[in-house]
Amino acid sequence: MNESHPRISKAVIPAAGLGTRFLPATKATPKEMLPVVDKPAIQYVVEEAVGAGLSDVLMITGRNKRPLEDHFDRNYELEEALIKKGDQERLAKVQESSDLATMHYVRQGDPRGLGHAVLCAAPHVGNEPFAVLLGDDLIDPRDPLLARMVEVQEREGGSVVALMEVEPSQIHLYGCAAVEPTGDADVVKVTNLVEKPDPADAPSNYAVIGRYVLDAAVFGILRETEPGRGGEIQLTDALQKLAADESVGGPVHGVVFKGRRYDTGDRGDYLRAIVRLACEREDLGPDFRNWLRGYVTEEMQGL
């Protein structure tokens, strides 16, 4: 039986990107604050971390990201106004975000890639294993991916990445993993990683999606990692070195995810995510689905 490894308690959420794909909406509003139905995308991510038992959350921010801090802080004036109105339902929603987790913030400064953003977390994380959650990937809470990744890391040590099978023609959009099977159907051992390979050169169709549980040894590698694809310090490059030499920071495993994932980093997928989540809401779903059926029917008849 494998030895037990330290319990993970810290989550890191990189949120320093400029959100250029959503301009002009993100000119003055962080992309992480764009609403998915009636909650900003970033709140779903923090809720996921908390749901996996990670209540210490460090957010890596940049210039013009102050609204992220404000959202997870108390708003006494708004709370007082809702109390005076007796609006307990909205008051609870407002207070929910400020009570979710112990939040910390650090600025990335120079936008030098995901690897550099993760490296900014080193003073806070120390020598403990930790989770990294990217805000563009929303994972449905009914499919507890992160909790499964934490379980695998605590059992096996090293690092764990989230993998999802994609069409071979789409693998060039992702980091790609070469893998070997293990005794668990949903767990593989990662032997190599390639950042956004040409489909003809991809070692598999297993794409790395935006969830990681990392050994702190990754910090030492990131400090020595030269800028790679796009002139940025790539987290994939550091993970590739960990996978190639287990003596550095243990093995790298992958959890193969087959659940519900909503990609909010692309405008089309962002809209689809809103529609899917709205349809599944008890308070919105029935009326919204009826309207959507009628709208689609009218559009089809107009073709």
Side-chain angles (χ1 to χ4, degrees):
M1 181 178 293
N2 292 320
E3 62 178 304
S4 178
H5 293 271
R7 173 67 187 169
I8 299 168
S9 63
K10 295 178 179 178
V12 174
I13 302 177
L18 298 176
T20 53
R21 287 181 290 180
F22 281 84
L23 286 170
T26 50
K27 179 181 178 181
T29 301
K31 67 171 183 175
E32 296 84 4
M33 289 300 297
L34 295 179
V36 180
V37 188
D38 54 3
K39 283 193 298 192
I42 194 67
Q43 185 170 332
Y44 288 89
V45 180
V46 174
E47 288 174 349
E48 180 187 352
V50 173
L54 313 182
S55 58
D56 185 322
V57 177
L58 174 68
M59 202 168 291
I60 312 298
T61 67
R63 293 184 64 234
N64 302 321
K65 298 285 185 168
R66 181 60 185 270
L68 293 172
E69 298 184 34
D70 290 341
H71 180 71
F72 293 101
D73 199 359
R74 297 289 299 274
N75 186 328
Y76 294 101
E77 294 82 3
L78 177 57
E79 291 179 24
E80 185 64 27
L82 293 171
I83 290 171
K84 289 181 178 179
K85 288 183 177 180
D87 194 338
Q88 295 300 317
E89 181 179 353
R90 289 188 173 88
L91 176 64
K93 290 180 179 179
V94 168
Q95 292 177 333
E96 180 183 16
S97 59
S98 57
D99 295 336
L100 268 176
T102 301
M103 302 294 298
H104 309 270
Y105 304 89
V106 65
R107 284 197 175 191
Q108 184 177 4
D110 297 328
R112 297 170 56 194
L114 176 58
H116 181 259
V118 171
L119 186 55
C120 291
H124 181 78
V125 170
N127 293 319
E128 303 174 26
F130 63 104
V132 175
L133 299 87
L134 305 189
D136 288 347
D137 284 337
L138 302 189
I139 305 298
D140 195 294
R142 293 168 294 183
D143 301 310
L145 169 62
L146 186 60
R148 175 59 170 156
M149 294 174 68
V150 168
E151 175 188 336
V152 171
Q153 197 282 335
E154 290 179 346
R155 185 186 69 199
E156 303 290 347
S159 298
V160 182
V161 299
L163 301 175
M164 177 176 278
E165 290 190 81
V166 300
E167 292 296 326
S169 62
Q170 298 297 305
I171 197 65
H172 70 284
L173 300 174
Y174 300 88
C176 175
V179 303
E180 296 176 351
T182 70
D184 294 323
D186 65 333
V187 179
V188 294
K189 185 174 183 181
V190 176
T191 59
N192 192 23
L193 287 155
V194 183
E195 180 67 17
K196 298 181 178 178
D198 185 280
D201 300 325
S204 73
N205 66 329
Y206 283 108
V208 180
I209 59 174
R211 297 293 181 271
Y212 309 81
V213 179
L214 303 177
D215 187 276
V218 74
F219 293 132
I221 296 176
L222 286 170
R223 291 187 184 98
E224 303 297 326
T225 299
E226 296 293 328
R229 190 180 184 94
E232 298 181 335
I233 297 175
Q234 299 288 349
L235 180 59
T236 303
D237 292 341
L239 288 169
Q240 192 278 331
K241 293 178 182 178
L242 287 174
D245 185 358
E246 292 186 16
S247 67
V248 177
V252 178
H253 286 88
V255 170
V256 180
F257 183 61
K258 297 183 179 180
R260 287 155 284 200
R261 167 180 173 254
Y262 311 107
D263 183 355
T264 61
D266 173 84
R267 289 174 297 173
D269 284 339
Y270 170 74
L271 294 173
R272 285 186 279 273
I274 293 174
V275 171
R276 289 172 184 166
L277 288 170
C279 284
E280 294 178 358
R281 289 266 296 260
E282 291 183 3
D283 57 338
L284 298 173
D287 288 342
F288 184 67
R289 288 194 299 270
N290 286 336
W291 174 84
L292 191 60
R293 289 190 193 98
Y295 174 75
V296 172
T297 300
E298 291 177 5
E299 288 294 301
M300 294 298 293
Q301 290 174 345
L303 291 179

